[in-house]
Amino acid sequence: MPRLSNACKRSIIPLLLAALPIAASPVLADSRPTFGWVEEGLILPENTRVKFKLDTGALTSSMHAENIDSFKKDSDDWVRFTVELQDMDSEKQVKTRLERKVVRKIKVRGAGGADSRPVVMMKVCLGDRVYEDQFSLNDRDKMNYPVLIGRRMLEDVGLVDSSKTFTTEPNCKTGNSKKS
């Protein structure tokens, strides 16, 4: 087999790449929806409309929760917690006390030290889909965004365009559920 010179390789390779069909490019072939880095979403089942930050730097999603109490139920670890947020539509404070089984615990390290947080399954609406995924519970009262969507959930949600915000309205129907 003849050897090609470097000059020949430099001229042939771009021609070969140009001849490939566009669908061969994984970036162009991705038909998943694109969202902005901040979107409106719904916390279910209360349908509370709040800001979601789509955070590609976080692995696990996180949700605002206060008064987190641990307890045992059928020998499993559970938590009881309060979600109190201002609904973006009505501008009213919505306060709900929820109970969820603890899926796991995570250790979060930050400037203030290490913190252990429970992780539970929660349902949220983003765009026209309901997603059920793992959320760590943390008091995010001083944060701008009560819900943070991490990479685990983003894999199923779609793409994030960091130059955009509020590209879609939450519009979920019960038949559009997706478990991450």
Side-chain angles (χ1 to χ4, degrees):
M1 185 157 155
R3 292 181 45 110
L4 297 174
S5 70
N6 284 339
C8 188
K9 287 179 189 174
R10 282 193 299 271
S11 64
I12 290 176
I13 291 175
L15 291 173
L16 292 173
L17 290 175
L20 290 174
I22 290 178
S25 169
V27 173
L28 297 175
D30 199 332
S31 62
R32 295 182 297 167
T34 300
F35 296 94
W37 71 277
V38 177
E39 293 289 351
E40 287 183 21
L42 299 175
I43 297 175
L44 304 174
E46 291 74 23
N47 291 326
T48 305
R49 187 183 292 242
V50 296
K51 292 178 187 176
F52 286 15
K53 178 180 179 184
L54 283 62
D55 189 348
T56 61
L59 182 60
T60 303
S61 298
S62 181
M63 183 175 293
H64 173 70
E66 299 174 358
N67 305 317
I68 302 170
D69 299 317
S70 300
F71 65 98
K72 290 278 189 190
K73 185 174 181 178
D74 299 326
S75 72
D76 291 320
D77 291 329
W78 282 65
V79 287
R80 187 175 294 118
F81 56 98
T82 303
V83 175
E84 184 174 2
L85 300 166
Q86 183 174 355
D87 183 85
M88 290 177 70
D89 281 340
S90 67
E91 296 186 8
K92 292 181 181 176
Q93 284 294 114
V94 177
K95 183 176 181 177
T96 307
R97 191 83 172 145
L98 300 171
E99 290 183 1
R100 295 288 189 275
K101 183 178 177 180
V102 175
V103 176
R104 62 191 174 100
K105 290 194 176 197
I106 60 171
K107 185 169 254 183
V108 178
R109 290 177 182 80
D115 185 22
S116 178
R117 299 179 189 167
V119 177
V120 299
M121 297 300 289
M122 294 291 296
K123 287 185 180 181
V124 297
C125 168
L126 181 61
D128 62 356
R129 303 289 304 266
V130 174
Y131 297 90
E132 184 175 17
D133 203 35
Q134 295 182 16
F135 284 82
S136 69
L137 301 178
N138 184 39
D139 187 342
R140 299 182 57 82
D141 216 15
K142 292 180 176 51
M143 308 282 190
N144 291 332
Y145 309 102
V147 176
L148 184 142
I149 304 298
R151 290 190 310 270
R152 281 195 179 109
M153 188 170 147
L154 287 173
E155 287 177 10
D156 294 321
V157 168
L159 306 175
V160 178
D161 184 338
S162 63
S163 70
K164 295 183 179 170
T165 58
F166 303 111
T167 65
T168 186
E169 293 273 330
N171 183 23
C172 293
K173 310 234 180 336
T174 36
N176 293 344
S177 186
K178 171 111 179 172
K179 191 169 188 172
S180 295

